[in-house]
Amino acid sequence: MLTGAVSSVLALRSLYSASSLSLPASPHGMVHLLLFSGVQAPLQVRYSRPAKPKYDLPPLVHRALHTALDSKPASASYDAGADLLIIPRPGTLHKHSWDACSLADYDVTVKIQIVNKGTAASYAAEVSKALQTLAEHKGLELLDTVLVGLPKDEPASTWVEFWKTITSGEIKDVKNWGTLNLLEPILAELVTIKAPVANELNTTDCYTLPQDYTAFASSHRIQLWASGGGAGPDPLPAADLHNLLHEFKSVLGGLVPAKSTPALSSIIPVAADGSSFCGQAKPDVAVDWVVTYTLLSRTRNIVKDKGYIVSAESA
C-alpha cells in the first residue's frame, strides 16, 4: 500500500447503481466534479486569499492538480455519454484490497462534511454517494467510524430526520456513526434516537469546553474529538476551488467540451478589508461535500493512507 499517496480526481457526474438514497440525474450541462487529494507535499496557492481562517485543503488540492494536469498528456479520462471527467485516470488511484488478516488490523475513519444546502433526504443521499465513491475508488468499504456534519445553522428538526435515516441500517458496512461540530441542544435530540459514538469539534483541544457540555457527552458515552484544522462546516470554500481550477482552465478546456466546462473567467478577489473573498464575485463552482478518510494500522499504530474527496458542481 502507498502511504499518503497524492492523487486527484475531478469527475463531472458519478454514476451509481440505483438505490433509495440515490440522487436524481442532474440537468443537461450541469457539470459535477469529484476531487481526490492525498496529503503529501502541499503546494501553496498562487492567488490571494484571506489570512484567516487557514485551511489545510487548498494547498493539497493545488499539489494534486499539478501532479495530474502537468503531465504530458494530462492524466485524464472523459466519458462524453455521462459527461464524466476523471483526473487522473481511475487506474492510477491506489485501491485497497483486503483479506481476513488485514481487515482485523486496519481501522478506517471517515468524516463527511455536507456543504451545499439541501434537505434531510438529500443529505442522506449525499452521504450514501460519498461512501460509494470511497468504496469504488479507494476500496474502503468496511468502515469503523463515520462522522457526518451538515451545513451551518441546520435546525434540530432537520438533524433528527437525517439522523434517523442514516442510522436506520439502510447504509451498510458502517460500524459506528458520529457527528461533526454539534453543540449540546442538537446532540440532546439525537441521543433519543441513537447516541453518536463521537462528536468532533473545530477546536485545538477539548479541555476548554464548558463543563456542562463535557459532562453531557460523558454521560451518553459520546467521545469528544478536537480538530485544529480551522475549516469547520466549509472545509474548501467555493472561491478557493474556483481559483484553484482557474489556474488549469486551459487544460480543462482541452479535456471536456466547452458546454461542460465551468467558465472560470477570472480569479475571485479578496475583499478590500482582507477578511474574506469579495462577495460580489460569484464562483463558477459550488462544493457539495468533503470527505476525509484515514486508514490506520492498529498493530503498528501508523497511518497507512489518508486523503480527501471533494464533490462539487458548476454554479
Side-chain angles (χ1 to χ4, degrees):
M1 287 182 284
L2 300 178
T3 301
V6 174
S7 58
S8 73
V9 175
L10 293 176
L12 315 181
R13 189 190 306 162
S14 290
L15 300 179
Y16 296 100
S17 58
S19 73
S20 60
L21 293 178
S22 295
L23 292 176
S26 299
H28 181 69
M30 178 66 76
V31 178
H32 286 260
L33 305 99
L34 273 177
L35 176 105
F36 288 60
S37 175
V39 296
Q40 283 185 335
L43 180 64
Q44 292 305 308
V45 300
R46 294 171 179 169
Y47 54 88
S48 298
R49 70 172 323 283
K52 294 181 179 180
K54 292 184 177 180
Y55 291 88
D56 294 334
L57 201 46
L60 295 171
V61 170
H62 190 205
R63 171 64 70 186
L65 288 171
H66 272 288
T67 299
L69 298 180
D70 286 350
S71 62
K72 304 296 182 184
S75 178
S77 174
Y78 178 65
D79 181 344
D83 205 10
L84 172 67
L85 175 69
I86 300 180
I87 304 174
R89 287 180 293 275
T92 66
L93 293 171
H94 179 67
K95 187 173 182 178
H96 299 279
S97 59
W98 308 97
D99 55 32
C101 180
S102 59
L103 277 174
D105 184 49
Y106 290 118
D107 181 280
V108 184
T109 298
V110 177
K111 302 170 189 176
I112 306 173
Q113 176 61 59
I114 308 294
V115 177
N116 195 31
K117 284 283 190 177
T119 64
S122 72
Y123 295 151
E126 294 285 12
V127 168
S128 180
K129 178 183 276 188
L131 295 180
Q132 289 171 6
T133 301
L134 187 63
E136 178 182 350
H137 291 286
K138 295 295 296 180
L140 301 178
E141 299 176 348
L142 303 176
L143 310 176
D144 295 275
T145 304
V146 176
L147 308 185
V148 291
L150 299 187
K152 187 178 180 181
D153 299 327
E154 281 292 356
S157 58
T158 300
W159 264 103
V160 166
E161 185 180 351
F162 165 74
W163 194 244
K164 285 179 179 178
T165 301
I166 67 167
T167 60
S168 66
E170 190 169 357
I171 300 178
K172 306 298 184 183
D173 300 325
V174 175
K175 291 182 181 179
N176 298 298
W177 290 98
T179 54
L180 296 170
N181 299 306
L182 280 190
L183 297 180
E184 185 178 338
I186 295 180
L187 277 179
E189 297 280 349
L190 299 190
V191 298
T192 64
I193 304 165
K194 182 180 178 67
V197 68
N199 180 45
E200 182 175 278
L201 295 163
N202 184 28
T203 180
T204 55
D205 64 71
C206 290
Y207 297 103
T208 56
L209 294 174
Q211 186 173 358
D212 290 347
Y213 179 78
T214 56
F216 171 84
S218 177
S219 67
H220 292 281
R221 298 183 179 179
I222 300 172
Q223 302 172 38
L224 296 180
W225 296 359
S227 172
D234 193 10
L236 181 65
D240 277 296
L241 181 57
H242 173 111
N243 289 347
L244 287 163
L245 295 176
H246 177 271
E247 183 178 343
F248 301 92
K249 67 176 183 177
S250 61
V251 179
L252 295 173
L255 296 173
V256 298
K259 67 178 180 63
S260 296
T261 308
L264 305 171
S265 55
S266 59
I267 288 288
I268 305 294
V270 175
D273 63 3
S275 64
S276 63
F277 285 106
C278 179
Q280 296 178 339
K282 300 301 181 183
D284 290 332
V285 291
V287 177
D288 293 322
W289 47 259
V290 176
V291 161
T292 307
Y293 60 88
T294 304
L295 177 65
L296 177 71
S297 168
R298 294 186 178 97
T299 56
R300 301 178 64 190
N301 196 31
I302 60 172
V303 174
K304 299 294 292 183
D305 194 4
K306 181 175 181 178
Y308 300 87
I309 311 174
V310 178
S311 173
E313 62 186 48
S314 61

